């Protein structure tokens, strides 16, 4: 935006007329002096604006006027000599509140004294006060960082004035022609009529852009210690660092310094990332790299991971999920060189076998988290080796690993007593014996998923309620043998339960909801889909509990055939309810949903209503054959 004359004290010069703005300024028609300027105001703080002005003098009077948008000629009387100091004030030349008091004027003689003109270019002048030096450095550096991260360059040069053409060639060269021309007022163009004698002024104006970037900013930034700049760069993401590296040589060195690349996530570039990229990153970051995510980078193979392990010995978190090409060779290199590894994700790495777990158990004793979900070649032998070598294990996920059985879980329970998170989704051979031993040995267990483990019974729930009072997340979807007895025990002893997935637990009734409502005051998300025995009374018990009014946020009731509109009436008291699932609840009507939304305007209701049967066509004669049959 360009500031108005009233706000900045800049005088607007009209063509052939009179105008006055600012303090102490006056003008009238008649022979005298004419002046004008073109000013580029810059938004960021701590930066000055570029101003190119022109003026003409008559006799001994000297007066300079400037305008923020357009330029034109003006005639003034000689009685304004006393006000020259006021009219010569130009706020666009200020830096931190100090304005320039000196201008340079160059004149060329002509036959008429009223047509004498001069070209005046005023470079930005820095502040000499020492008490503002630190604010200059901070504001200049922050503005430059913002420009680099946003535009990819610290000094993007554009022409913000559509009506004024800036000739870059004339500004780069030392020619005497004027570099400003206006298509609106041809009188303003002084090309080939003015003489520019100061090459230094031209270079200072050339370095100025519409964002206020000057060579002064660079000098201020260079005054900051290297350690401070590296600390600032450490907060930038990968894209911003790459943009900053293109600003200048100094920034290239800082942006590509290994200390700025301690945590890298390349998931957004998974299609473009190939082996050489990982190798270059490894060689540059070396010991600084602590966290690397290559999730979905399917072009990455064993050679790249080997190079990574050879150079980045201090890596702690490594995500290789969905990297289909990696094999046991990669984990062997990791275990050999990365002894500080604490978390590794091998989800969907189908070529990983038990050998990988054996390598990690030997070389990574500090391992605390591992995910081998959907690694179908993992069996009880690999899990046993891992449990023996990595006794600090806190999180273990083996979702979809069909070969993991009770022996594997018993080994985890025996050697890893600090286990807190365990995901055994779709490990179909798991039975009550292994879960009971796990519950007895791992008292810190907080999250347990045994969905699709169909052989489990209430004995599992009774053991969990007896030993694992810190349990906050329980997923038992598809465990059809669980009844109200097991959940009654959980509601009585597990007071910290926040999320429960009871989908397809077809034997539970409203009694389960009554126990959860009274015993689990922190219950936030509850899934009851396909629990066909749940009725409106069960929901009523749930809504009267201590958790319903302020805590319960998600409730899923898909395919609960006994749920009616009364359920939605009970849920009105759940003020924090944000989402409810009602797919295939045949007794729910649109009217009840509208009433619920009136009481809870922010709630999201997901429901499906089968389209009504279209009425039979009674009017008109039905053709004997369709159009296709008629053609045939």
């Amino acid at each position: 935006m360009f500031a108005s004359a009233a706000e900045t004290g800049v005088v607007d010069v009209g063509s052939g007329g009179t105008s006055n703005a600012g303090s102490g300024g006056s003008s009238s028609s008649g022979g005298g002096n004419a002046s004008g300027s073109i000013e580029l105001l810059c938004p960021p703080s701590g930066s000055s604006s570029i101003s190119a002005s022109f003026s003409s003098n008559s006799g001994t009077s000297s007066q300079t006027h400037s305008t923020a948008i357009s330029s034109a000629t003006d005639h003034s009387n000689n009685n304004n000599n006393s006000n020259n100091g006021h009219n010569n004030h130009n706020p666009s030349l200020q830096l931190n509140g100090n304005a320039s008091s000196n201008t340079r004027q160059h004149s060329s003689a002509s036959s008429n004294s009223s047509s004498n003109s001069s070209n005046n270019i005023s470079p930005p002048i820095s502040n000499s006060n020492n008490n503002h030096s630190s604010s200059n450095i901070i504001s200049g550096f922050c503005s430059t960082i913002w420009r680099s991260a946003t535009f990819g360059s610290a000094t993007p040069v554009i022409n913000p004035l559509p009506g004024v053409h800036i000739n870059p060639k004339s500004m780069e060269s030392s020619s005497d022609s004027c570099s400003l021309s206006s298509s609106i007022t041809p009188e303003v163009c002084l090309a080939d009529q003015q003489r520019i004698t100061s090459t230094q002024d031209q270079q200072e104006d050339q370095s100025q852009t519409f964002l206020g970037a000057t060579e002064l900013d660079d000098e201020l930034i260079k005054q900051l210690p290297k350690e401070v700049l590296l600390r600032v760069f450490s907060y930038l993401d990968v894209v911003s660092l790459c943009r900053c590296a293109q600003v200048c040589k100094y920034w290239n060195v800082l942006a590509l310094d290994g200390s700025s690349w301690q945590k890298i996530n390349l998931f957004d570039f998974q299609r473009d990332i190939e082996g050489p990229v990982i190798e270059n990153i490894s060689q540059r970051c070396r010991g600084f790299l602590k966290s690397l995510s290559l999730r979905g980078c399917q072009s990455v193979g064993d050679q790249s991971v080997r190079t990574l392990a050879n150079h980045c010995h201090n890596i702690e978190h490594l995500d290789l999920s969905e990297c289909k090409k990696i094999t046991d060779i990669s984990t062997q290199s990791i275990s050999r060189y990365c002894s500080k590894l604490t978390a590794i994700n091998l989800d969907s790495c189908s070529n990983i076998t038990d050998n990988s777990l054996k390598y990690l158990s030997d070389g990574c004793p500090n391992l605390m988290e591992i995910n081998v979900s959907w690694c179908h070649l993992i069996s009880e032998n690999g899990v046993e080796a891992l449990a023996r070598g990595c006794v600090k294990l806190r999180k273990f996920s083996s979702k979809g690993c069909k070969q993991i059985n009770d022996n594997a879980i018993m080994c985890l329970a025996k050697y890893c007593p600090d286990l807190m998170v365990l995901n055994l989704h779709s490990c179909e051979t798991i039975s009550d014996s292994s879960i009971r031993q796990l519950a007895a040995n791992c008292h810190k267990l907080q999250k347990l998923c045994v969905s699709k483990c169909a052989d489990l019974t209430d004995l599992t729930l009774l053991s969990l309620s007896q030993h694992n009072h810190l349990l906050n997340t329980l997923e038992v979807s598809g465990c059809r043998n669980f009844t109200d007895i097991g959940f009654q025990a959980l509601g009585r002893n597990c007071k910290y339960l926040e999320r429960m997935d009871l989908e397809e637990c077809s034997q539970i009734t409203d009694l389960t909801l009554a126990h959860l409502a009274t015993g689990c005051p922190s219950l936030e998300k509850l899934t009851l889909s396909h629990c066909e025995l749940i009725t409106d009374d069960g929901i009523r018990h749930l809504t009267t509990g201590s958790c319903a009014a302020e805590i319960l946020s998600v409730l899923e009731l898909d395919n609960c055939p006994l749920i009616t509109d009364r359920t939605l009436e009970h849920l009105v008291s759940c003020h924090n309810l944000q989402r409810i699932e009602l797919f295939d609840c045949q007794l729910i009507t649109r009217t009840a949903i509208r009433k619920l939304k009136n009481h809870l305007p922010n709630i999201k209701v997901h429901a499906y209503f089968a389209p009504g049967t279209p009425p039979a066509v009674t009017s008109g004669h039905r053709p004997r054959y369709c159009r296709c049959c008629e053609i045939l």
Side-chain angles (χ1 to χ4, degrees):
M1 295 294 294
F2 292 95
S4 61
E7 297 174 348
T8 61
V10 179
V11 180
D12 294 332
V13 182
S15 176
T18 62
S19 64
N20 191 349
S23 61
S26 62
S27 62
S28 60
S29 61
N33 40 22
S35 65
S37 72
I38 296 175
E39 183 179 30
L40 280 66
L41 300 182
C42 308
S45 62
S47 59
S48 58
S49 61
I50 181 173
S51 175
S53 61
F54 57 92
S55 62
S56 61
N57 303 325
S58 175
T60 62
S61 66
S62 175
Q63 185 176 2
T64 302
H65 303 280
S66 64
T67 178
I69 300 179
S70 61
S71 302
T73 58
D74 187 21
H75 302 283
S76 304
N77 292 330
N78 293 332
N79 57 359
N80 293 332
N81 295 337
S82 62
N83 295 329
N84 287 344
H86 296 285
N87 292 336
N88 203 27
H89 172 68
N90 188 353
S92 66
L93 300 180
Q94 296 182 9
L95 185 61
N96 292 332
N98 294 334
S100 171
S101 61
N102 297 327
T103 59
R104 302 179 181 83
Q105 297 182 350
H106 309 279
S107 61
S108 60
S110 63
S111 57
N112 296 326
S113 62
S114 63
S115 64
N116 293 336
S117 61
S118 64
N119 188 9
N120 184 4
I121 298 180
S122 303
I125 301 177
S126 62
N127 185 10
S128 60
N129 295 332
N130 294 330
N131 56 347
H132 295 298
S133 60
S134 62
S135 62
N136 286 343
I137 296 176
I138 298 299
S139 61
F141 181 65
C142 293
S143 300
T144 309
I145 285 286
W146 173 79
R147 287 191 297 269
S148 301
T150 305
F151 299 98
S153 173
T155 57
V157 180
I158 67 172
N159 182 12
L161 298 179
V164 178
H165 172 69
I166 299 178
N167 188 356
K169 295 182 178 179
S170 60
M171 298 191 70
E172 294 178 358
S173 62
S174 59
S175 61
D176 297 334
S177 61
C178 177
S179 62
L180 300 178
S181 62
S182 175
S183 60
I184 301 178
T185 56
E187 300 86 8
V188 177
C189 182
L190 303 178
D192 298 331
Q193 299 178 8
Q194 309 298 327
R195 309 284 298 180
I196 300 178
T197 59
S198 177
T199 304
Q200 180 180 2
D201 293 344
Q202 294 178 0
Q203 294 176 350
E204 291 177 354
D205 287 342
Q206 181 184 0
S207 65
Q208 180 66 278
T209 67
F210 81 108
L211 289 177
T214 61
E215 294 180 357
L216 178 61
D217 292 337
D218 297 336
E219 295 298 330
L220 294 177
I221 293 173
K222 290 180 180 179
Q223 295 180 16
L224 291 175
K226 179 181 178 181
E227 292 77 12
V228 176
L229 297 178
L230 289 175
R231 182 62 181 268
V232 174
F233 282 139
S234 66
Y235 292 100
L236 301 180
D237 57 9
V238 176
V239 177
S240 300
L241 284 173
C242 292
R243 288 177 175 174
C244 291
Q246 303 177 41
V247 173
C248 60
K249 293 182 179 179
Y250 183 58
W251 277 36
N252 182 273
V253 174
L254 295 178
L256 298 182
D257 188 85
S259 61
S260 300
W261 297 74
Q262 299 184 23
K263 185 176 180 180
I264 303 176
N265 187 351
L266 300 177
F267 174 72
D268 294 335
F269 315 97
Q270 54 180 303
R271 296 183 178 180
D272 302 324
I273 294 299
E274 296 182 354
V277 177
I278 305 303
E279 297 173 9
N280 292 336
I281 292 177
S282 305
Q283 295 174 1
R284 180 173 295 276
C285 297
R286 292 186 176 273
F288 290 104
L289 186 61
K290 294 184 178 181
S291 177
L292 176 63
S293 176
L294 300 177
R295 182 165 66 99
C297 300
Q298 299 188 15
S299 299
V300 176
D302 292 332
Q303 178 61 36
S304 302
V305 178
R306 185 186 296 112
T307 304
L308 173 69
N310 289 337
H311 292 87
C312 304
H313 298 167
N314 295 326
I315 193 167
E316 299 176 358
H317 298 268
L318 182 60
D319 188 350
L320 299 175
S321 57
E322 301 180 15
C323 296
K324 305 292 186 179
K325 292 185 178 181
I326 67 171
T327 65
D328 295 333
I329 299 176
S330 297
T331 54
Q332 185 178 15
S333 300
I334 293 172
S335 64
R336 181 178 301 173
Y337 299 106
C338 305
S339 59
K340 297 182 180 180
L341 189 69
T342 60
I344 185 170
N345 190 346
L346 300 173
D347 184 4
S348 301
C349 297
S350 55
N351 295 322
I352 295 297
T353 67
D354 290 335
N355 292 329
S356 293
L357 300 187
K358 294 178 181 178
Y359 295 145
L360 293 175
S361 65
D362 295 335
C364 303
N366 297 318
L367 192 65
M368 302 173 63
E369 302 177 15
I370 185 170
N371 186 351
V372 290
S373 298
W374 308 110
C375 297
H376 302 288
L377 302 179
I378 298 295
S379 67
E380 58 176 308
N381 296 328
V383 176
E384 181 180 358
L386 180 70
R388 290 178 180 272
C390 303
V391 296
K392 299 180 181 180
L393 202 62
R394 301 290 190 275
K395 298 180 181 180
F396 180 80
S397 178
S398 59
K399 184 176 180 180
C401 297
K402 305 291 185 179
Q403 299 187 47
I404 291 184
N405 52 20
D406 287 335
N407 293 332
I409 305 305
M410 290 180 180
C411 290
L412 289 174
K414 181 178 180 180
Y415 299 106
C416 304
D418 295 331
L419 199 64
M420 301 173 62
V421 178
L422 180 62
N423 190 338
L424 302 175
H425 190 291
S426 299
C427 297
E428 300 173 351
T429 60
I430 300 298
S431 65
D432 292 328
S433 59
S434 60
I435 300 299
R436 293 177 64 183
Q437 185 172 348
L438 177 74
N441 293 349
C442 303
H443 299 284
K444 298 180 181 180
L445 191 64
Q446 298 181 5
K447 298 181 180 180
L448 176 64
C449 176
V450 289
S451 298
K452 306 300 180 182
C453 298
D455 294 336
L456 298 179
T457 65
D458 285 336
L459 294 177
T460 291
L461 299 182
L462 293 174
S463 298
L464 292 174
S465 64
Q466 183 179 358
H467 301 288
N468 306 109
H469 298 163
L470 299 178
L471 195 66
N472 59 51
T473 301
L474 179 63
E475 299 179 10
V476 293
S477 174
C479 299
R480 300 179 182 273
N481 296 327
F482 289 163
T483 66
D484 295 332
I485 298 175
F487 290 108
Q488 180 181 359
L490 282 177
R492 184 170 54 250
N493 297 325
C494 299
K495 305 296 183 181
Y496 299 101
L497 278 172
E498 298 177 358
R499 301 184 180 186
M500 296 187 68
D501 184 359
L502 310 183
E503 184 177 357
E504 296 183 359
C505 295
S506 55
Q507 296 191 42
I508 64 174
T509 65
D510 296 338
L511 188 60
T512 292
L513 298 185
H515 291 305
L516 294 179
T518 57
C520 303
S522 302
L523 194 59
E524 179 182 352
K525 296 183 180 180
L526 179 61
T527 299
L528 299 172
S529 300
H530 296 275
C531 296
E532 299 178 354
L533 301 180
I534 299 296
T535 66
D536 296 331
D537 291 335
I539 303 301
R540 178 177 59 82
H541 291 306
L542 186 65
T543 55
T544 56
S546 57
C547 66
E550 303 297 338
I551 304 298
L552 188 64
S553 61
V554 177
L555 181 61
E556 298 183 4
L557 299 172
D558 299 334
N559 294 96
C560 294
L562 302 181
I563 295 297
T564 67
D565 290 345
R566 289 182 54 196
T567 290
L568 301 188
E569 295 176 1
H570 297 320
L571 292 175
V572 171
S573 61
C574 301
H575 305 295
N576 195 44
L577 194 61
Q578 301 176 7
R579 179 170 60 88
I580 182 172
E581 303 282 348
L582 296 172
F583 288 103
D584 291 327
C585 294
Q586 301 296 334
L587 302 181
I588 299 292
T589 63
R590 290 185 173 88
T591 303
I593 293 177
R594 283 195 292 267
K595 291 181 180 179
L596 180 64
K597 287 186 175 181
N598 290 336
H599 290 87
L600 304 174
N602 296 326
I603 191 173
K604 295 181 180 180
V605 180
H606 297 164
Y608 171 76
F609 297 92
T613 304
V617 179
T618 57
S619 60
H621 176 68
R622 180 178 180 181
R624 182 177 180 183
Y625 301 104
C626 66
R627 178 62 178 167
C628 297
C629 296
E630 290 179 358
I631 295 175
L632 294 176

